[in-house]
Amino acid sequence: MKKREFKSSSKRVLDLMINSIYTNKEIFLRELISNASDALDKLSYLSLTNKDLDASNPKIFIERDEKERKLIIKDNGIGMDEEELENNLGTIAESGSLKFKESQEKDSEIIGQFGVGFYSAFMVSKKVEVLTRKAGSEDAYLWTSEGVDGYTLEKTRKDKPGTEITLYLKDDQEDEDYSTFLDEYTIRRIVKKYSDYIRYPINMDVENSRLKEGSDKEYETYVEEVTLNSMIPLWKKDKKSITEEEYNNFYTSKFMDMENPLHVIHNNVEGLVEYKSMLFIPSHAPFDYYYKEYKKGLELYTNGVLIMDKCEELLPDYYSFVKGVVDSDDLSLNISRETLQNDRKVIAIAKSLETKIHNELLTMLKEEPDKYKKFFDAFGTQIKYGVYDMYGANKDKLKDLLMFYSGNKKELITLDQYVSDMPKSQKEIYYACGESYDKIDSLPQIEQVKNKKFDVLYLTGNVDEFALQVLEKYDDKPFKNVSDNTLDLETKEEKENTKKANEESKDMLDFMKESLNGEVVDVRLTNKISSHPVFLSTQGVISTQMEKVFNAMPIDNGQKAELILEINENHPIVDKLKKLYDKDKDKLKDYSKILYSEARLIEGLPLDNPTEISNLICDLISK
Ligand code: ADP
């Protein structure tokens, strides 16, 4: 039989599994049971509409063969056909493997991002067989692999639909006791620990002893099939009886995350619409979170049956990071994607969930600020996007969840904190944009605001300024970019002086503006900066940061910031410029270009003519 090769990305994961990056090998059982449970869910779901499919007596069975060192996990779920076997077990989900290749992170972290899944069987096995028959089909297949060098696939027979996974356990090592996975009590413990809530019985044969019939001292052993799990979904249990470890195990196994959740929101809602929900806020963004492929949604159950595994309607986009399950007996089993959107009960549940998440985040912000900052680091961009999205329809709801970096405090603060700390004389909320806090911190135009002891919010995200523009104000205080040319912090006298200086040098400034070929709408003398020679301010709604965001978009929409080159009126360069205007206009032209380029570089804007500028500077130096 021909050996088939694993896709290369899968090979790497497999290699990591075999050479086991995990010390926690026992989770292989959790993964296989979880797959079996999913397979039973799928069959039960399909049987709702396909009467030919038999989903009766769903069960997961664990068989131990101590002599052969085999552990078999059986289910009577949906099974797989040949193509599915090949696609599901010959490769790791495409999106996952793609990112896997690109990512520079530590391997173990990446695997955790998309779950260890079926491959974890190789942590404890030298050989794995998957015997499977798809429900509704007569054909069965046997998939066999001993690890990285590939797998074989052959057609075979199987009595009933479903899947049987046989693990040939590795030989015991000095420091690794694989035989323990054949031990009744080890298996009981692992199932209880990770899979207790699984809705289907997880059964196993165990040996018991009893008094022989008719005897009062002779015992006999007999075999009994027992159910190892309680089958009560965790979300249906009383909150008080659930330990943190149970929540963590449930979350990590169900949502394939290696890290424990940051926060759990467990509710039992009664009233007009009744439901139970168990929601989790992850402690980090999934690797694909800010990609198109990421799909939001909660698992939706009704009457104990999973009816949708990613019900998008239950979560607004700005809370798309929330994972979890919702269980309501009020919903119809036959609810479809189309009817879902207009279902009054679904809408009511979604609304109630949103309020719960919102209040929970506000409470976290107030009572556990460090935890909230961790949350905001991971998902703040999504909240900011939520403020901006749909022309700000949700801005009032979300504004108090926002945090920005404070230039004074050197940490994230809320807008409420900013406003509470504002001195009486301050009328606006100042912000500045740039690539990093350090770069923003050294912007010339920030100096003036800092000198007045006003705080400045440092915005580094692409969406940040757009969000503030949509928000317009907070607590009636308008937002103001420190680069906006209408920034108005000078005294009356200072303004008069600057006005005079500009009038006196009007001809020279006009000449400089012309030298820049329409790149700027104005060249001005300013007293807004004290130590630096130049900076760019903008006129109108588009800032330099916004221009950068537009530039990065695949389609050029021609949106450009209207720039003003501001020159420090007290800087020695001004005298030099004046002299050149009288004596050497050609040189003034060159100087204008250099000053303008400097100002662009400070803003992080690209130069259109770097070679020309570089040559001009060299000419200057060599003279
Ligand atoms: P994941 O469960 O994260 O999708 P796995 O590597 O664990 O990844 O499994 C890959 C796929 O193989 C599953 O999505 C499922 O389609 C299929 N599969 C695994 N185990 C079973 C099973 N017991 N019955 C049916 N299909 C299964």
Side-chain angles (χ1 to χ4, degrees):
M1 202 177 338
K2 190 172 168 283
K3 263 248 161 78
R4 307 180 194 211
E5 287 225 358
F6 285 106
K7 293 235 173 105
S8 63
S9 48
S10 307
K11 243 180 181 164
R12 206 164 133 214
V13 177
L14 205 56
D15 201 34
L16 288 163
M17 284 297 153
I18 295 163
N19 301 309
S20 206
I21 49 166
Y22 290 113
T23 41
N24 194 15
K25 297 201 161 60
E26 65 188 24
I27 58 153
F28 81 91
L29 193 57
R30 168 188 88 183
E31 299 294 320
L32 298 182
I33 288 175
S34 155
N35 281 350
S37 168
D38 289 347
L40 290 166
D41 275 341
K42 282 180 200 156
L43 181 61
S44 127
Y45 178 69
L46 288 180
S47 71
L48 294 175
T49 47
N50 184 347
K51 296 283 166 250
D52 296 334
L53 297 180
D54 175 18
S56 58
N57 303 317
K59 177 162 111 176
I60 298 165
F61 190 85
I62 302 178
E63 192 178 308
R64 295 169 294 140
D65 181 340
E66 285 173 271
K67 232 171 73 206
E68 300 277 325
R69 290 178 66 77
K70 284 198 296 196
L71 190 66
I72 310 169
I73 292 98
K74 303 180 178 179
D75 69 69
N76 53 354
I78 185 80
M80 284 174 271
D81 60 26
E82 186 178 11
E83 199 186 332
E84 285 166 332
L85 249 185
E86 178 100 8
N87 287 338
N88 295 340
L89 305 187
T91 171
I92 287 188
E94 266 317 302
S95 61
S97 58
L98 211 72
K99 284 263 52 102
F100 185 81
K101 270 184 277 179
E102 285 168 10
S103 182
Q104 298 297 313
E105 287 177 68
K106 281 212 303 280
D107 289 337
S108 58
E109 278 167 25
I110 310 154
I111 290 179
Q113 305 248 316
F114 51 91
V116 287
F118 168 78
Y119 287 87
S120 63
F122 286 96
M123 294 198 292
V124 297
S125 323
K126 47 184 174 189
K127 178 166 132 186
V128 178
E129 282 174 2
V130 180
L131 174 62
T132 185
R133 176 177 149 194
K134 178 118 181 183
S137 156
E138 293 299 318
D139 299 334
Y141 295 90
L142 178 68
W143 181 100
T144 310
S145 171
E146 289 179 22
V148 237
D149 55 339
Y151 59 92
T152 58
L153 197 58
E154 63 188 296
K155 203 164 165 188
T156 177
R157 295 210 51 78
K158 185 175 181 302
D159 282 353
K160 289 189 176 131
T163 303
E164 283 183 28
I165 299 189
T166 305
L167 311 180
Y168 294 81
L169 294 178
K170 289 185 185 175
D171 300 330
D172 289 340
Q173 308 280 322
E174 217 168 279
D175 54 348
E176 208 59 77
D177 174 23
Y178 294 101
S179 304
T180 184
F181 299 122
L182 294 168
D183 176 62
E184 176 193 335
Y185 293 96
T186 307
I187 293 176
R188 277 180 183 271
R189 181 184 60 76
I190 302 176
V191 170
K192 209 66 200 154
K193 181 168 173 190
Y194 298 105
S195 314
D196 192 52
Y197 63 86
I198 293 283
R199 296 186 305 117
Y200 305 102
I202 303 168
N203 288 3
M204 183 167 73
D205 282 343
V206 299
E207 277 186 0
N208 273 336
S209 66
R210 64 184 164 204
L211 275 175
K212 253 191 177 162
E213 237 185 72
S215 160
D216 57 359
K217 47 180 180 296
E218 254 190 283
Y219 282 86
E220 63 175 4
T221 54
Y222 70 99
V223 173
E224 185 188 22
E225 181 171 333
V226 293
T227 299
L228 309 177
N229 55 331
S230 75
M231 288 192 279
I232 303 173
L234 198 59
W235 60 89
K236 286 203 173 168
K237 284 191 182 165
D238 181 12
K239 235 162 120 163
K240 289 191 215 84
S241 73
I242 305 177
T243 63
E244 193 180 332
E245 195 188 7
E246 278 180 292
Y247 278 127
N248 289 346
N249 279 335
F250 178 85
Y251 169 81
T252 47
S253 61
K254 198 166 189 69
F255 300 107
M256 301 182 196
D257 192 346
M258 284 226 297
E259 268 183 65
N260 291 332
L262 184 71
H263 194 69
V264 185
I265 313 172
H266 187 177
N267 281 303
N268 187 358
V269 177
E270 285 167 5
L272 275 175
V273 50
E274 306 206 342
Y275 68 88
K276 294 182 170 58
S277 66
M278 201 152 95
L279 309 182
F280 299 89
I281 299 177
S283 47
H284 62 114
F287 74 93
D288 60 348
Y289 186 60
Y290 290 110
Y291 289 82
K292 237 185 21 247
E293 298 83 44
Y294 180 84
K295 288 216 162 50
K296 63 170 182 174
L298 300 173
E299 284 194 355
L300 182 60
Y301 290 82
T302 184
N303 296 305
V305 179
L306 177 75
I307 50 173
M308 211 160 284
D309 66 352
K310 281 226 162 123
C311 182
E312 301 169 39
E313 285 73 12
L314 292 174
L315 287 177
D317 276 347
Y318 40 87
Y319 294 150
S320 60
F321 48 82
V322 175
K323 309 258 180 204
V325 295
V326 175
D327 194 339
S328 172
D329 291 348
D330 291 350
L331 302 172
S332 138
L333 256 185
N334 298 319
I335 202 159
S336 70
R337 283 230 171 258
E338 293 71 47
T339 53
L340 204 69
Q341 279 167 5
N342 302 315
D343 189 288
R344 271 189 310 121
K345 285 175 193 146
V346 173
I347 294 170
I349 294 176
K351 217 165 152 211
S352 158
L353 288 172
E354 176 178 350
T355 310
K356 290 242 172 314
I357 299 169
H358 188 72
N359 292 339
E360 205 73 23
L361 287 172
L362 285 177
T363 310
M364 194 199 292
L365 174 60
K366 215 162 104 201
E367 292 171 5
E368 299 173 279
D370 287 339
K371 186 168 163 185
Y372 188 84
K373 277 178 197 161
K374 195 166 178 216
F375 155 75
F376 202 79
D377 271 342
F379 301 111
T381 303
Q382 190 65 9
I383 304 285
K384 289 184 261 186
Y385 188 74
V387 168
Y388 166 76
D389 201 21
M390 303 204 306
Y391 307 102
N394 300 298
K395 63 180 181 182
D396 288 328
K397 228 181 318 189
L398 298 175
K399 62 177 191 249
D400 285 313
L401 294 177
L402 293 174
M403 288 196 114
F404 295 98
Y405 186 86
S406 148
N408 280 354
K409 296 208 168 68
K410 306 273 178 253
E411 63 173 359
L412 290 175
I413 60 166
T414 60
L415 294 174
D416 186 51
Q417 275 169 297
Y418 182 97
V419 169
S420 324
D421 290 346
M422 273 167 71
K424 274 225 160 52
S425 58
Q426 187 181 346
K427 303 282 177 261
E428 293 169 313
I429 301 175
Y430 300 109
Y431 68 87
C433 308
E435 273 166 55
S436 68
Y437 298 148
D438 282 346
K439 280 194 182 166
I440 298 175
D441 209 43
S442 58
L443 286 176
Q445 58 268 46
I446 264 192
E447 217 174 37
Q448 189 193 19
V449 190
K450 276 190 183 164
N451 286 344
K452 295 238 180 292
K453 303 272 178 292
F454 298 159
D455 196 3
V456 178
L457 299 174
Y458 291 6
L459 313 191
T460 52
N462 280 351
V463 69
D464 295 14
E465 192 178 15
F466 291 91
L468 291 191
Q469 285 217 344
V470 165
L471 212 49
E472 289 173 76
K473 297 175 186 177
Y474 182 87
D475 195 19
D476 275 337
K477 317 279 190 300
F479 293 102
K480 181 74 123 199
N481 190 330
V482 297
S483 302
D484 191 306
N485 77 320
T486 60
L487 183 76
D488 183 18
L489 293 176
E490 304 102 309
T491 61
K492 216 170 151 195
E493 198 190 340
E494 283 168 337
K495 276 188 216 162
E496 282 297 319
N497 288 342
T498 310
K499 199 172 157 205
K500 227 155 82 211
N502 271 293
E503 277 164 5
E504 279 167 12
S505 303
K506 187 171 183 306
D507 293 343
M508 174 190 83
L509 296 168
D510 283 347
F511 176 84
M512 290 180 74
K513 178 184 159 187
E514 263 163 49
S515 323
L516 295 173
N517 297 327
E519 289 276 322
V520 298
V521 293
D522 210 357
V523 179
R524 268 181 216 162
L525 298 177
T526 184
N527 62 19
K528 287 181 187 169
I529 45 179
S530 48
S531 53
H532 305 276
V534 283
F535 80 96
L536 284 177
S537 67
T538 57
Q539 159 180 304
V541 289
I542 301 174
S543 70
T544 51
Q545 176 67 17
M546 292 166 105
E547 178 178 323
K548 277 184 248 172
V549 175
F550 292 136
N551 280 345
M553 289 180 179
I555 296 167
D556 179 13
N557 61 6
Q559 304 251 43
K560 289 240 175 287
E562 292 182 17
L563 304 173
I564 297 165
L565 176 61
E566 305 217 21
I567 305 169
N568 183 352
E569 63 185 24
N570 301 311
H571 197 281
I573 187 78
V574 178
D575 283 338
K576 177 84 187 184
L577 296 174
K578 283 179 181 163
K579 277 187 197 127
L580 288 177
Y581 184 63
D582 288 339
K583 292 209 195 89
D584 189 348
K585 290 213 170 51
D586 278 345
K587 200 169 239 166
L588 178 59
K589 217 175 191 174
D590 291 347
Y591 274 47
S592 304
K593 285 183 187 165
I594 292 173
L595 288 175
Y596 172 63
S597 301
E598 285 176 10
R600 282 188 73 90
L601 288 176
I602 292 171
E603 280 299 311
L605 289 170
L607 302 183
D608 291 338
N609 49 348
T611 316
E612 182 191 352
I613 299 303
S614 150
N615 291 344
L616 283 176
I617 293 173
C618 262
D619 283 353
L620 265 181
I621 299 173
S622 38
K623 254 170 212 152

